[in-house]
């Protein structure tokens, strides 16, 4: 089997360094463990950490960006908020494995986590 092309690799951006990833706001969440699980489950896809994405009311925020080929077909980034438990993390990594935005539908387990970034309160 041929390795995936860069055209088929999604990017997952994980908000950290503000209230996302904060033990003050979410003391019962292993934030480092979450990041490690996302990196381990993402397979060939990229996982990067961003400073504050300014949607603090939805922390912990994860943005699933479509692969370049899906982006050219009109797929757009999907913002997920309140990603605080293993079920949500597993759904994110399963979605990446299936191809992410524009390739596979948002898993039902993530439906309540999707939000419109343009409609969210900033800061």
């Amino acid at each position: 089997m041929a390795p995936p092309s860069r055209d088929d690799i999604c990017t997952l951006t994980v908000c950290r360094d503000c209230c996302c990833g904060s033990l003050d706001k979410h003391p019962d969440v292993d934030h480092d463990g979450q990041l490690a699980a996302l990196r381990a489950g993402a397979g060939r896809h990229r996982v990067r950490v961003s400073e504050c994405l300014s949607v603090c009311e939805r922390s912990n925020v994860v943005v699933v960006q479509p692969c370049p080929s899906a982006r050219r077909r009109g797929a757009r980034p999907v913002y997920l908020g309140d990603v605080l438990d293993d079920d949500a993390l597993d759904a994110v990594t399963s979605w990446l494995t299936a191809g992410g935005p524009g390739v596979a539908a948002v898993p039902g387990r993530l439906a309540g986590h999707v939000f419109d970034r343009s409609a969210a309160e900033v800061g």
Side-chain angles (χ1 to χ4, degrees):
M1 175 183 252
S5 77
R6 292 178 59 94
D7 225 28
D8 296 322
I9 296 175
C10 298
T11 299
L12 184 67
T13 302
V14 181
C15 185
R16 288 292 187 265
D17 200 32
C18 58
C19 59
C20 291
S22 166
L23 289 176
D24 290 336
K25 190 164 185 177
H26 304 290
D28 297 331
V29 175
D30 177 1
H31 300 284
D32 292 336
Q34 274 192 336
L35 190 55
L38 287 170
R39 286 185 166 135
R44 69 180 193 262
H45 302 285
R46 290 181 49 209
V47 176
R48 65 183 185 173
V49 175
S50 175
E51 290 185 5
C52 187
L53 294 173
S54 298
V55 281
C56 298
E57 74 279 2
R58 295 301 309 260
S59 72
N60 286 342
V61 176
V62 173
V63 183
V64 185
Q65 297 166 311
C67 64
S69 60
R71 182 75 183 212
R72 286 192 298 275
R73 292 188 307 272
R76 295 294 174 253
V78 175
Y79 280 73
L80 303 168
D82 310 301
V83 179
L84 297 165
D85 59 46
D86 291 342
D87 189 49
L89 294 174
D90 291 345
V92 170
T93 57
S94 293
W95 188 27
L96 283 175
T97 301
V103 175
V106 175
R109 294 184 295 176
L110 291 177
H113 295 273
V114 175
F115 69 96
D116 180 357
R117 170 65 174 93
S118 63
E121 290 181 33
V122 175

